[in-house]
Amino acid sequence: QVQLAESGGGLVQTGNSLRLSCEISGHTFRTYRDREWRMAWFRQAPGKEHEFLATITLRGGATEYADSAKGRFTISGDNDKDVAFLQMNNLRPEDTAVYHCVARRDRSEITSRWDAYDFWGQGTQVTVSS
């Protein structure tokens, strides 16, 4: 099993910043901890599909971003603590959504699809007021 625990969401005003954290743990993760894991952030606004934001390989640190996330969002990881972060700056009301962390053992497969991952966190709410 793999558990993903997100934190860092909340209510902020337009223009402010938030940093989301996602800790990965569990028996399956510990068993394969020395392998490369890919973690990613998606968000889902009410009535909309899951939107890919960014992904990172936890050991190698390779990152990819959706065009919508470039410039304001930064994904990073702490290899020792098994945590991925999403730094979000200059937040706007349209960023309001539930932000989910997802993970899989890295493999050659598309990285921007929600169903291309094997493990999903419950999400953390981000609300940006105008």
Side-chain angles (χ1 to χ4, degrees):
Q1 286 288 354
V2 172
Q3 285 80 46
L4 298 171
E6 302 114 326
S7 60
L11 172 64
V12 296
Q13 293 185 328
T14 296
N16 283 5
S17 300
L18 280 175
R19 189 174 82 153
L20 306 182
S21 299
C22 177
E23 182 178 4
I24 184 169
S25 62
H27 176 73
T28 299
F29 176 72
R30 290 193 299 271
T31 299
Y32 297 101
R33 189 178 181 278
D34 61 337
R35 308 294 176 86
E36 183 62 271
W37 285 79
R38 176 173 295 281
M39 299 177 72
W41 288 96
F42 286 73
R43 68 184 179 187
Q44 187 176 32
K48 295 189 176 181
E49 299 289 323
H50 289 100
E51 178 189 6
F52 169 74
L53 297 173
T55 182
I56 187 169
T57 54
L58 195 56
R59 305 289 172 248
T63 60
E64 299 172 27
Y65 291 89
D67 288 342
S68 61
K70 290 178 182 177
R72 294 191 300 126
F73 293 1
T74 302
I75 191 170
S76 61
D78 186 325
N79 185 31
D80 293 332
K81 296 182 179 179
D82 302 323
V83 179
F85 304 98
L86 185 69
Q87 176 68 40
M88 306 186 294
N89 297 328
N90 192 20
L91 285 163
R92 307 162 181 164
E94 52 265 39
D95 295 317
T96 295
V98 176
Y99 285 68
H100 293 271
C101 175
V102 300
R104 73 185 192 208
R105 282 179 56 191
D106 198 27
R107 57 181 180 263
S108 298
E109 185 177 349
I110 191 170
T111 59
S112 58
R113 274 178 45 183
W114 173 259
D115 60 359
Y117 291 84
D118 301 322
F119 307 100
W120 300 267
Q122 292 191 333
T124 184
Q125 176 71 45
V126 171
T127 303
V128 185
S129 64
S130 56

mmCIF file of all heavy atoms in Angstrom, residues 49-89:
data_model
loop_
_atom_site.group_PDB
_atom_site.id
_atom_site.type_symbol
_atom_site.label_atom_id
_atom_site.label_comp_id
_atom_site.label_asym_id
_atom_site.label_seq_id
_atom_site.Cartn_x
_atom_site.Cartn_y
_atom_site.Cartn_z
ATOM 1 N N GLU A 49 -13.099 18.666 -14.696
ATOM 2 C CA GLU A 49 -12.249 17.489 -14.677
ATOM 3 C C GLU A 49 -10.972 17.772 -13.877
ATOM 4 O O GLU A 49 -10.634 18.932 -13.598
ATOM 5 C CB GLU A 49 -11.862 17.106 -16.114
ATOM 6 C CG GLU A 49 -13.031 16.758 -17.010
ATOM 7 C CD GLU A 49 -13.638 15.426 -16.619
ATOM 8 O OE1 GLU A 49 -12.872 14.516 -16.239
ATOM 9 O OE2 GLU A 49 -14.880 15.286 -16.691
ATOM 10 N N HIS A 50 -10.269 16.693 -13.549
ATOM 11 C CA HIS A 50 -8.966 16.859 -12.908
ATOM 12 C C HIS A 50 -7.997 17.518 -13.890
ATOM 13 O O HIS A 50 -7.900 17.090 -15.052
ATOM 14 C CB HIS A 50 -8.411 15.500 -12.474
ATOM 15 C CG HIS A 50 -9.146 14.903 -11.318
ATOM 16 N ND1 HIS A 50 -10.111 13.917 -11.464
ATOM 17 C CD2 HIS A 50 -9.073 15.156 -9.984
ATOM 18 C CE1 HIS A 50 -10.593 13.591 -10.283
ATOM 19 N NE2 HIS A 50 -9.987 14.332 -9.366
ATOM 20 N N GLU A 51 -7.301 18.520 -13.419
ATOM 21 C CA GLU A 51 -6.365 19.272 -14.250
ATOM 22 C C GLU A 51 -4.939 19.001 -13.790
ATOM 23 O O GLU A 51 -4.604 19.235 -12.621
ATOM 24 C CB GLU A 51 -6.645 20.770 -14.170
ATOM 25 C CG GLU A 51 -5.672 21.625 -14.973
ATOM 26 C CD GLU A 51 -5.825 23.112 -14.707
ATOM 27 O OE1 GLU A 51 -6.620 23.483 -13.815
ATOM 28 O OE2 GLU A 51 -5.168 23.906 -15.402
ATOM 29 N N PHE A 52 -4.100 18.527 -14.700
ATOM 30 C CA PHE A 52 -2.692 18.294 -14.391
ATOM 31 C C PHE A 52 -1.982 19.621 -14.190
ATOM 32 O O PHE A 52 -2.194 20.577 -14.962
ATOM 33 C CB PHE A 52 -2.034 17.524 -15.528
ATOM 34 C CG PHE A 52 -0.528 17.468 -15.441
ATOM 35 C CD1 PHE A 52 0.096 16.659 -14.503
ATOM 36 C CD2 PHE A 52 0.250 18.231 -16.297
ATOM 37 C CE1 PHE A 52 1.475 16.607 -14.422
ATOM 38 C CE2 PHE A 52 1.626 18.180 -16.235
ATOM 39 C CZ PHE A 52 2.243 17.365 -15.290
ATOM 40 N N LEU A 53 -1.122 19.677 -13.184
ATOM 41 C CA LEU A 53 -0.338 20.891 -12.918
ATOM 42 C C LEU A 53 1.151 20.653 -13.108
ATOM 43 O O LEU A 53 1.806 21.385 -13.849
ATOM 44 C CB LEU A 53 -0.603 21.379 -11.501
ATOM 45 C CG LEU A 53 -2.044 21.814 -11.210
ATOM 46 C CD1 LEU A 53 -2.209 22.114 -9.721
ATOM 47 C CD2 LEU A 53 -2.433 23.017 -12.041
ATOM 48 N N ALA A 54 1.696 19.658 -12.417
ATOM 49 C CA ALA A 54 3.140 19.458 -12.457
ATOM 50 C C ALA A 54 3.471 18.071 -11.922
ATOM 51 O O ALA A 54 2.702 17.476 -11.168
ATOM 52 C CB ALA A 54 3.859 20.518 -11.629
ATOM 53 N N THR A 55 4.650 17.571 -12.325
ATOM 54 C CA THR A 55 5.117 16.278 -11.858
ATOM 55 C C THR A 55 6.614 16.322 -11.617
ATOM 56 O O THR A 55 7.329 17.142 -12.203
ATOM 57 C CB THR A 55 4.755 15.174 -12.873
ATOM 58 O OG1 THR A 55 5.175 13.905 -12.367
ATOM 59 C CG2 THR A 55 5.447 15.401 -14.218
ATOM 60 N N ILE A 56 7.080 15.432 -10.727
ATOM 61 C CA ILE A 56 8.490 15.367 -10.403
ATOM 62 C C ILE A 56 8.868 13.922 -10.112
ATOM 63 O O ILE A 56 8.062 13.158 -9.572
ATOM 64 C CB ILE A 56 8.815 16.260 -9.182
ATOM 65 C CG1 ILE A 56 10.318 16.349 -8.937
ATOM 66 C CG2 ILE A 56 8.078 15.773 -7.922
ATOM 67 C CD1 ILE A 56 10.710 17.418 -7.923
ATOM 68 N N THR A 57 10.091 13.535 -10.496
ATOM 69 C CA THR A 57 10.622 12.247 -10.060
ATOM 70 C C THR A 57 11.324 12.491 -8.733
ATOM 71 O O THR A 57 12.196 13.369 -8.628
ATOM 72 C CB THR A 57 11.595 11.663 -11.096
ATOM 73 O OG1 THR A 57 12.613 12.631 -11.390
ATOM 74 C CG2 THR A 57 10.871 11.301 -12.368
ATOM 75 N N LEU A 58 10.937 11.720 -7.723
ATOM 76 C CA LEU A 58 11.345 12.028 -6.363
ATOM 77 C C LEU A 58 12.844 11.891 -6.163
ATOM 78 O O LEU A 58 13.458 12.654 -5.436
ATOM 79 C CB LEU A 58 10.583 11.135 -5.392
ATOM 80 C CG LEU A 58 10.612 11.535 -3.927
ATOM 81 C CD1 LEU A 58 10.106 12.958 -3.735
ATOM 82 C CD2 LEU A 58 9.793 10.564 -3.095
ATOM 83 N N ARG A 59 13.463 10.914 -6.789
ATOM 84 C CA ARG A 59 14.910 10.699 -6.622
ATOM 85 C C ARG A 59 15.691 11.587 -7.590
ATOM 86 O O ARG A 59 16.656 12.239 -7.194
ATOM 87 C CB ARG A 59 15.259 9.231 -6.867
ATOM 88 C CG ARG A 59 14.488 8.258 -6.007
ATOM 89 C CD ARG A 59 14.914 8.304 -4.552
ATOM 90 N NE ARG A 59 13.997 7.488 -3.733
ATOM 91 C CZ ARG A 59 13.163 8.007 -2.838
ATOM 92 N NH1 ARG A 59 13.129 9.307 -2.628
ATOM 93 N NH2 ARG A 59 12.374 7.208 -2.131
ATOM 94 N N GLY A 60 15.290 11.656 -8.833
ATOM 95 C CA GLY A 60 16.047 12.385 -9.839
ATOM 96 C C GLY A 60 15.745 13.857 -9.912
ATOM 97 O O GLY A 60 16.567 14.645 -10.380
ATOM 98 N N GLY A 61 14.554 14.251 -9.451
ATOM 99 C CA GLY A 61 14.197 15.658 -9.452
ATOM 100 C C GLY A 61 13.780 16.214 -10.793
ATOM 101 O O GLY A 61 13.684 17.433 -10.954
ATOM 102 N N ALA A 62 13.512 15.356 -11.784
ATOM 103 C CA ALA A 62 13.083 15.844 -13.094
ATOM 104 C C ALA A 62 11.648 16.347 -13.007
ATOM 105 O O ALA A 62 10.785 15.672 -12.442
ATOM 106 C CB ALA A 62 13.186 14.738 -14.129
ATOM 107 N N THR A 63 11.399 17.512 -13.574
ATOM 108 C CA THR A 63 10.079 18.131 -13.468
ATOM 109 C C THR A 63 9.454 18.383 -14.839
ATOM 110 O O THR A 63 10.145 18.544 -15.838
ATOM 111 C CB THR A 63 10.157 19.469 -12.719
ATOM 112 O OG1 THR A 63 11.038 20.349 -13.428
ATOM 113 C CG2 THR A 63 10.675 19.273 -11.299
ATOM 114 N N GLU A 64 8.136 18.393 -14.841
ATOM 115 C CA GLU A 64 7.358 18.783 -16.014
ATOM 116 C C GLU A 64 6.194 19.614 -15.521
ATOM 117 O O GLU A 64 5.664 19.353 -14.429
ATOM 118 C CB GLU A 64 6.814 17.544 -16.753
ATOM 119 C CG GLU A 64 7.861 16.607 -17.289
ATOM 120 C CD GLU A 64 7.248 15.332 -17.826
ATOM 121 O OE1 GLU A 64 6.074 15.361 -18.252
ATOM 122 O OE2 GLU A 64 7.915 14.278 -17.808
ATOM 123 N N TYR A 65 5.768 20.570 -16.338
ATOM 124 C CA TYR A 65 4.675 21.446 -15.951
ATOM 125 C C TYR A 65 3.623 21.553 -17.045
ATOM 126 O O TYR A 65 3.942 21.531 -18.240
ATOM 127 C CB TYR A 65 5.193 22.863 -15.680
ATOM 128 C CG TYR A 65 6.049 22.995 -14.449
ATOM 129 C CD1 TYR A 65 7.421 22.815 -14.504
ATOM 130 C CD2 TYR A 65 5.467 23.309 -13.216
ATOM 131 C CE1 TYR A 65 8.206 22.934 -13.369
ATOM 132 C CE2 TYR A 65 6.246 23.439 -12.078
ATOM 133 C CZ TYR A 65 7.609 23.253 -12.170
ATOM 134 O OH TYR A 65 8.381 23.376 -11.039
ATOM 135 N N ALA A 66 2.399 21.725 -16.634
ATOM 136 C CA ALA A 66 1.361 22.133 -17.562
ATOM 137 C C ALA A 66 1.587 23.601 -17.908
ATOM 138 O O ALA A 66 2.122 24.361 -17.089
ATOM 139 C CB ALA A 66 -0.014 21.951 -16.929
ATOM 140 N N ASP A 67 1.179 23.985 -19.093
ATOM 141 C CA ASP A 67 1.353 25.391 -19.486
ATOM 142 C C ASP A 67 0.664 26.325 -18.497
ATOM 143 O O ASP A 67 1.158 27.419 -18.208
ATOM 144 C CB ASP A 67 0.797 25.609 -20.905
ATOM 145 C CG ASP A 67 1.676 24.980 -21.967
ATOM 146 O OD1 ASP A 67 2.847 24.679 -21.676
ATOM 147 O OD2 ASP A 67 1.177 24.791 -23.089
ATOM 148 N N SER A 68 -0.462 25.885 -17.958
ATOM 149 C CA SER A 68 -1.228 26.730 -17.038
ATOM 150 C C SER A 68 -0.508 26.958 -15.718
ATOM 151 O O SER A 68 -0.829 27.887 -14.989
ATOM 152 C CB SER A 68 -2.598 26.111 -16.777
ATOM 153 O OG SER A 68 -2.466 24.832 -16.188
ATOM 154 N N ALA A 69 0.472 26.089 -15.413
ATOM 155 C CA ALA A 69 1.169 26.189 -14.141
ATOM 156 C C ALA A 69 2.523 26.875 -14.260
ATOM 157 O O ALA A 69 3.091 27.303 -13.247
ATOM 158 C CB ALA A 69 1.367 24.798 -13.544
ATOM 159 N N LYS A 70 3.026 26.990 -15.451
ATOM 160 C CA LYS A 70 4.359 27.574 -15.636
ATOM 161 C C LYS A 70 4.353 29.047 -15.215
ATOM 162 O O LYS A 70 3.449 29.791 -15.547
ATOM 163 C CB LYS A 70 4.785 27.459 -17.097
ATOM 164 C CG LYS A 70 5.082 26.029 -17.535
ATOM 165 C CD LYS A 70 5.446 25.983 -19.011
ATOM 166 C CE LYS A 70 5.697 24.550 -19.457
ATOM 167 N NZ LYS A 70 5.979 24.454 -20.907
ATOM 168 N N GLY A 71 5.370 29.410 -14.473
ATOM 169 C CA GLY A 71 5.527 30.804 -14.075
ATOM 170 C C GLY A 71 5.058 31.122 -12.675
ATOM 171 O O GLY A 71 5.652 31.942 -11.986
ATOM 172 N N ARG A 72 3.973 30.465 -12.225
ATOM 173 C CA ARG A 72 3.450 30.746 -10.884
ATOM 174 C C ARG A 72 3.594 29.575 -9.927
ATOM 175 O O ARG A 72 3.637 29.771 -8.712
ATOM 176 C CB ARG A 72 1.980 31.140 -10.956
ATOM 177 C CG ARG A 72 1.697 32.450 -11.669
ATOM 178 C CD ARG A 72 0.251 32.890 -11.456
ATOM 179 N NE ARG A 72 -0.701 31.903 -11.964
ATOM 180 C CZ ARG A 72 -1.682 31.369 -11.240
ATOM 181 N NH1 ARG A 72 -1.837 31.714 -9.972
ATOM 182 N NH2 ARG A 72 -2.508 30.488 -11.773
ATOM 183 N N PHE A 73 3.651 28.350 -10.467
ATOM 184 C CA PHE A 73 3.723 27.161 -9.623
ATOM 185 C C PHE A 73 5.088 26.504 -9.788
ATOM 186 O O PHE A 73 5.630 26.433 -10.900
ATOM 187 C CB PHE A 73 2.639 26.159 -10.019
ATOM 188 C CG PHE A 73 1.224 26.616 -9.748
ATOM 189 C CD1 PHE A 73 0.940 27.857 -9.204
ATOM 190 C CD2 PHE A 73 0.150 25.792 -10.047
ATOM 191 C CE1 PHE A 73 -0.358 28.276 -8.961
ATOM 192 C CE2 PHE A 73 -1.150 26.180 -9.806
ATOM 193 C CZ PHE A 73 -1.410 27.425 -9.267
ATOM 194 N N THR A 74 5.626 26.001 -8.685
ATOM 195 C CA THR A 74 6.895 25.292 -8.712
ATOM 196 C C THR A 74 6.763 24.000 -7.922
ATOM 197 O O THR A 74 6.371 24.029 -6.755
ATOM 198 C CB THR A 74 8.016 26.136 -8.112
ATOM 199 O OG1 THR A 74 8.127 27.380 -8.829
ATOM 200 C CG2 THR A 74 9.343 25.394 -8.202
ATOM 201 N N ILE A 75 7.115 22.886 -8.556
ATOM 202 C CA ILE A 75 7.108 21.600 -7.863
ATOM 203 C C ILE A 75 8.535 21.276 -7.436
ATOM 204 O O ILE A 75 9.500 21.567 -8.159
ATOM 205 C CB ILE A 75 6.510 20.480 -8.756
ATOM 206 C CG1 ILE A 75 6.249 19.224 -7.932
ATOM 207 C CG2 ILE A 75 7.400 20.199 -9.958
ATOM 208 C CD1 ILE A 75 5.439 18.160 -8.671
ATOM 209 N N SER A 76 8.667 20.703 -6.253
ATOM 210 C CA SER A 76 9.972 20.300 -5.759
ATOM 211 C C SER A 76 9.795 19.069 -4.882
ATOM 212 O O SER A 76 8.664 18.683 -4.551
ATOM 213 C CB SER A 76 10.641 21.430 -4.984
ATOM 214 O OG SER A 76 9.864 21.802 -3.865
ATOM 215 N N GLY A 77 10.907 18.475 -4.505
ATOM 216 C CA GLY A 77 10.832 17.271 -3.684
ATOM 217 C C GLY A 77 11.965 17.204 -2.688
ATOM 218 O O GLY A 77 13.035 17.791 -2.898
ATOM 219 N N ASP A 78 11.694 16.524 -1.594
ATOM 220 C CA ASP A 78 12.721 16.237 -0.588
ATOM 221 C C ASP A 78 12.937 14.734 -0.597
ATOM 222 O O ASP A 78 12.109 13.974 -0.092
ATOM 223 C CB ASP A 78 12.254 16.719 0.794
ATOM 224 C CG ASP A 78 13.339 16.567 1.847
ATOM 225 O OD1 ASP A 78 14.116 15.595 1.785
ATOM 226 O OD2 ASP A 78 13.391 17.425 2.753
ATOM 227 N N ASN A 79 14.056 14.328 -1.173
ATOM 228 C CA ASN A 79 14.344 12.909 -1.358
ATOM 229 C C ASN A 79 14.490 12.187 -0.020
ATOM 230 O O ASN A 79 14.088 11.042 0.138
ATOM 231 C CB ASN A 79 15.625 12.779 -2.175
ATOM 232 C CG ASN A 79 15.952 11.349 -2.515
ATOM 233 O OD1 ASN A 79 15.069 10.520 -2.678
ATOM 234 N ND2 ASN A 79 17.233 11.045 -2.607
ATOM 235 N N ASP A 80 15.047 12.861 0.968
ATOM 236 C CA ASP A 80 15.282 12.219 2.269
ATOM 237 C C ASP A 80 13.990 12.031 3.052
ATOM 238 O O ASP A 80 13.824 11.054 3.769
ATOM 239 C CB ASP A 80 16.266 13.048 3.091
ATOM 240 C CG ASP A 80 17.657 13.046 2.477
ATOM 241 O OD1 ASP A 80 18.003 12.052 1.801
ATOM 242 O OD2 ASP A 80 18.387 14.032 2.657
ATOM 243 N N LYS A 81 13.082 12.993 2.922
ATOM 244 C CA LYS A 81 11.853 12.961 3.707
ATOM 245 C C LYS A 81 10.665 12.403 2.924
ATOM 246 O O LYS A 81 9.566 12.298 3.457
ATOM 247 C CB LYS A 81 11.514 14.360 4.221
ATOM 248 C CG LYS A 81 12.558 14.909 5.178
ATOM 249 C CD LYS A 81 12.169 16.273 5.710
ATOM 250 C CE LYS A 81 13.224 16.790 6.680
ATOM 251 N NZ LYS A 81 12.880 18.135 7.191
ATOM 252 N N ASP A 82 10.898 12.059 1.645
ATOM 253 C CA ASP A 82 9.833 11.471 0.829
ATOM 254 C C ASP A 82 8.629 12.394 0.745
ATOM 255 O O ASP A 82 7.482 11.982 0.963
ATOM 256 C CB ASP A 82 9.417 10.099 1.369
ATOM 257 C CG ASP A 82 10.577 9.117 1.430
ATOM 258 O OD1 ASP A 82 11.430 9.167 0.515
ATOM 259 O OD2 ASP A 82 10.633 8.336 2.384
ATOM 260 N N VAL A 83 8.886 13.639 0.439
ATOM 261 C CA VAL A 83 7.841 14.646 0.357
ATOM 262 C C VAL A 83 7.971 15.419 -0.954
ATOM 263 O O VAL A 83 9.083 15.740 -1.375
ATOM 264 C CB VAL A 83 7.926 15.631 1.544
ATOM 265 C CG1 VAL A 83 6.836 16.697 1.423
ATOM 266 C CG2 VAL A 83 7.784 14.900 2.855
ATOM 267 N N ALA A 84 6.851 15.707 -1.574
ATOM 268 C CA ALA A 84 6.809 16.594 -2.731
ATOM 269 C C ALA A 84 6.052 17.856 -2.333
ATOM 270 O O ALA A 84 5.128 17.809 -1.524
ATOM 271 C CB ALA A 84 6.131 15.918 -3.912
ATOM 272 N N PHE A 85 6.468 18.958 -2.923
ATOM 273 C CA PHE A 85 5.863 20.249 -2.608
ATOM 274 C C PHE A 85 5.334 20.906 -3.878
ATOM 275 O O PHE A 85 5.825 20.662 -4.969
ATOM 276 C CB PHE A 85 6.904 21.189 -1.977
ATOM 277 C CG PHE A 85 7.565 20.646 -0.753
ATOM 278 C CD1 PHE A 85 8.810 20.044 -0.841
ATOM 279 C CD2 PHE A 85 6.955 20.735 0.489
ATOM 280 C CE1 PHE A 85 9.436 19.534 0.282
ATOM 281 C CE2 PHE A 85 7.570 20.240 1.626
ATOM 282 C CZ PHE A 85 8.814 19.637 1.520
ATOM 283 N N LEU A 86 4.350 21.759 -3.688
ATOM 284 C CA LEU A 86 3.889 22.610 -4.779
ATOM 285 C C LEU A 86 3.804 24.030 -4.232
ATOM 286 O O LEU A 86 2.927 24.331 -3.416
ATOM 287 C CB LEU A 86 2.526 22.167 -5.322
ATOM 288 C CG LEU A 86 2.066 22.957 -6.551
ATOM 289 C CD1 LEU A 86 2.950 22.631 -7.765
ATOM 290 C CD2 LEU A 86 0.603 22.647 -6.876
ATOM 291 N N GLN A 87 4.736 24.852 -4.661
ATOM 292 C CA GLN A 87 4.735 26.261 -4.281
ATOM 293 C C GLN A 87 3.861 27.016 -5.273
ATOM 294 O O GLN A 87 4.097 26.953 -6.486
ATOM 295 C CB GLN A 87 6.151 26.829 -4.295
ATOM 296 C CG GLN A 87 6.232 28.316 -3.999
ATOM 297 C CD GLN A 87 5.870 28.652 -2.562
ATOM 298 O OE1 GLN A 87 6.249 27.933 -1.639
ATOM 299 N NE2 GLN A 87 5.137 29.745 -2.371
ATOM 300 N N MET A 88 2.860 27.715 -4.764
ATOM 301 C CA MET A 88 1.937 28.450 -5.628
ATOM 302 C C MET A 88 1.983 29.922 -5.269
ATOM 303 O O MET A 88 1.708 30.290 -4.121
ATOM 304 C CB MET A 88 0.510 27.904 -5.449
ATOM 305 C CG MET A 88 0.404 26.400 -5.667
ATOM 306 S SD MET A 88 -1.284 25.795 -5.622
ATOM 307 C CE MET A 88 -1.710 26.105 -3.917
ATOM 308 N N ASN A 89 2.349 30.747 -6.228
ATOM 309 C CA ASN A 89 2.481 32.183 -6.010
ATOM 310 C C ASN A 89 1.437 32.957 -6.797
ATOM 311 O O ASN A 89 0.865 32.466 -7.772
ATOM 312 C CB ASN A 89 3.878 32.638 -6.434
ATOM 313 C CG ASN A 89 4.972 32.003 -5.607
ATOM 314 O OD1 ASN A 89 4.797 31.709 -4.423
ATOM 315 N ND2 ASN A 89 6.112 31.780 -6.242
#
